[in-house]
Amino acid sequence: MRQDGKILIDDKETNQYTVQRNYYFAMGDNRDNSLDSRYWGFVPRENIVGKAWFIYWSWDSNINFADFFKLIKSIRIDRIGSSIE
């Protein structure tokens, strides 16, 4: 967790961390606005139950839902259904 530019692990300031074996960093699909491993920590292997195969939906998540028509225009049709490698 970052607080005032500092990295805290269990409320203790640190500048490094070694990931334990069989733990993974999970990044959300909206990198800058996702609650992911930067928020809730590394994921143990036994908690991973699947793999993403394709992109189900894609639009510009920086557009507010209140601007519905602009949001609809931002749909990235060329990405929908694309395989994830």
Side-chain angles (χ1 to χ4, degrees):
M1 172 183 231
R2 287 182 180 245
Q3 182 177 0
D4 299 328
K6 298 176 183 175
I7 297 172
L8 303 176
I9 297 176
D10 296 330
D11 295 324
K12 295 177 186 152
E13 187 177 349
T14 186
N15 61 1
Q16 65 180 2
Y17 178 76
T18 302
V19 179
Q20 297 177 28
R21 173 174 249 159
N22 295 323
Y23 276 73
Y24 296 85
F25 180 89
M27 182 171 282
D29 60 350
N30 184 3
R31 187 188 68 174
D32 295 333
N33 296 309
S34 289
L35 294 180
D36 53 25
S37 284
R38 294 168 293 178
Y39 179 77
W40 35 258
F42 295 93
V43 181
R45 174 63 185 102
E46 63 266 15
N47 289 4
I48 299 173
V49 295
K51 178 184 178 196
W53 289 33
F54 64 93
I55 297 171
Y56 177 76
W57 189 253
S58 182
W59 62 16
D60 186 346
S61 60
N62 293 317
I63 298 173
N64 191 313
F65 282 103
D67 199 350
F68 181 74
F69 293 107
K70 188 173 182 181
L71 187 63
I72 293 299
K73 288 181 182 178
S74 77
I75 295 172
R76 298 178 281 215
I77 301 226
D78 57 316
R79 290 183 46 118
I80 297 173
S82 298
S83 296
I84 297 174
E85 297 180 31

